[in-house]
Amino acid sequence: MKLRQVYLSGYKSIDKAGQTIPLGDITVLLGANGSGKSNLISFFKMLNFMTEGTLKQYVGREGVTRLLYYGPKKTESIFFSLDFGTEDVRSRYEIALSYGLPDRLFIGSEKIICHGDGNGQQEYVLDGREGESGLKTDPRPVCEVLYNLLSGIRFYQFHDTSDTAKIKDRGYVDDARYLRSDGGNLAAFLKMLKEHGQFYRYYDRIIRHIRRIMPQFGDFDLTPVPGNRDYIRLNWRDSSGSDYLFDPGQISDGSLRFMALSALLLQPPDLMPAFIVLDEPELGLHPLAIRELAGLVRSASQKTQVLLATQSSSLINEFTAEDLVVLERDEERQCSLFKKLDCEILRGWLDRYSLSDLWEKNVIGGQP
């Protein structure tokens, strides 16, 4: 079961005419600052909150004015539809979020339309409660399938590697059910993989990939904190064989982010999120690490879907034109435009130039 495309209108920089965003196993969002990449990523965050029945919490935190295209005076509702399914069965989830006083969004309509499987077209209207989606509580099998898919969307951004970042601090040793969005429980997650017999080979694979980028790295030392076995820290030892213990503050920011990305993208398939969203994962990475990151994304895409937003020329060269969705700001309409590349038209260009060359020459768009 996969997400095939998103249609979205009235949300942030996407106007009421709406935009269709195709989704593949790998979807690379490419565009200039202010083109709308972050807005699409925030939509997936909202979708996750809505699925869990906490839409009001998300709206309260973000603010209605910031969610509606140019505010409620210009846009009164957000509408989106998600096409999902297998090769044989396709379905669509549609929902309208309408503006109401005092400054809130309520669900005006919510339904699922199913096609295929020999049953023709079937439509299911969902009945939410207290301004929240009815998806989680609806007992019908199609709702359960869609809920499992949408609740499996996970957003990750490992940018915070400051001295006070959670990834460098001690954390609760049992906080290992899944890797958190900021990598704050990376030590506990790795300890679980290392000590779980069925998962150890994935831990070993993570270590081998880290060594390819950081040759001096030996292994993590995931022993609980002395005097308090409920807590753990991301300590490590180098490859020299010394018993000297390094702490996470003795890793470069780029290396620390690559460790978190490796754990995310090489984790066991049984633990893998259904849909991974990555915001500029190349930040602070060496060009060799960027190439390695692309390989990790391709590997993960065999088990899940990956959407990543980037401005890295090096990173887009590791993917194909079929993977790219280009974003531009339409100054006449004052909105974001999403464009899937025509690979047939680009074929002649790609015989002579790389994707980054075509981006920098503004052949494929996505420039300011």
Side-chain angles (χ1 to χ4, degrees), residues 7-254:
Y7 172 80
L8 181 58
S9 69
Y11 181 79
K12 292 195 173 184
S13 63
I14 301 171
D15 67 6
K16 292 185 284 186
Q19 290 287 303
T20 298
I21 303 102
L23 300 171
D25 292 340
I26 299 173
T27 305
V28 180
L29 300 177
L30 178 65
N33 290 332
S35 60
K37 300 189 301 298
S38 297
N39 291 341
L40 181 61
I41 287 175
S42 74
F43 166 74
F44 281 99
K45 289 183 183 179
M46 183 184 76
L47 192 61
N48 204 241
F49 272 82
M50 191 191 72
T51 305
E52 292 302 320
T54 54
L55 175 63
K56 288 188 289 187
Q57 177 184 333
Y58 180 83
V59 172
R61 188 181 71 181
E62 293 290 315
V64 173
T65 300
R66 294 172 60 188
L67 294 175
L68 291 166
Y69 174 74
Y70 279 91
K73 289 186 177 181
K74 186 175 181 68
T75 305
E76 295 182 349
S77 65
I78 296 167
F79 175 83
F80 66 85
S81 66
L82 309 173
D83 287 8
F84 65 99
T86 63
E87 292 298 325
D88 301 320
V89 180
R90 295 295 179 96
S91 300
R92 174 171 292 176
Y93 173 59
E94 296 183 352
I95 190 165
L97 303 175
S98 301
Y99 174 72
L101 294 174
D103 279 345
R104 66 187 181 95
L105 289 177
F106 64 91
I107 296 177
S109 64
E110 184 179 22
K111 63 183 178 180
I112 299 175
I113 304 168
C114 299
H115 303 271
D117 203 21
N119 296 320
Q121 177 174 308
Q122 294 178 301
E123 185 173 307
Y124 305 95
V125 177
L126 279 61
D127 184 17
R129 293 287 187 272
E130 299 181 356
E132 298 290 352
S133 168
L135 193 62
K136 186 176 182 178
T137 56
D138 196 299
R140 285 172 285 202
V142 66
C143 294
E144 182 180 356
V145 169
L146 181 57
Y147 169 76
N148 289 334
L149 175 62
L150 299 186
S151 63
I153 296 173
R154 293 283 184 269
F155 166 79
Y156 291 92
Q157 187 185 70
F158 303 127
H159 292 184
D160 186 6
T161 51
S162 64
D163 291 340
T164 58
K166 292 181 179 179
I167 196 171
K168 289 185 176 180
D169 199 3
R170 61 180 64 184
Y172 183 48
V173 71
D174 288 339
D175 183 14
R177 188 160 58 93
Y178 60 87
L179 184 63
R180 297 195 176 276
S181 62
D182 59 359
N185 66 332
L186 179 57
F189 188 74
L190 288 169
K191 179 178 173 63
M192 180 273 296
L193 295 182
K194 185 175 185 178
E195 296 182 351
H196 194 300
Q198 184 180 352
F199 296 154
Y200 178 78
R201 63 191 178 102
Y202 296 96
Y203 174 84
D204 184 61
R205 189 179 174 198
I206 291 167
I207 297 302
R208 285 187 279 111
H209 277 268
I210 293 173
R211 287 172 181 162
R212 292 171 65 169
I213 301 304
M214 188 179 171
Q216 72 272 30
F217 178 77
D219 199 352
F220 292 106
D221 187 311
L222 301 172
T223 306
V225 175
N228 192 342
R229 301 191 64 80
D230 289 337
Y231 287 86
I232 189 172
R233 201 176 187 201
L234 194 69
N235 294 321
W236 59 284
R237 299 185 189 276
D238 67 15
S239 58
S240 69
S242 168
D243 62 355
Y244 183 82
L245 188 66
F246 294 87
D247 64 54
Q250 293 170 282
I251 309 171
S252 71
D253 291 349

Side-chain angles (χ1 to χ4, degrees), residues 266-281:
L266 294 174
Q267 65 182 294
D270 292 346
L271 305 180
M272 191 80 75
F275 194 101
I276 293 174
V277 181
L278 290 169
D279 186 16
E280 297 188 352

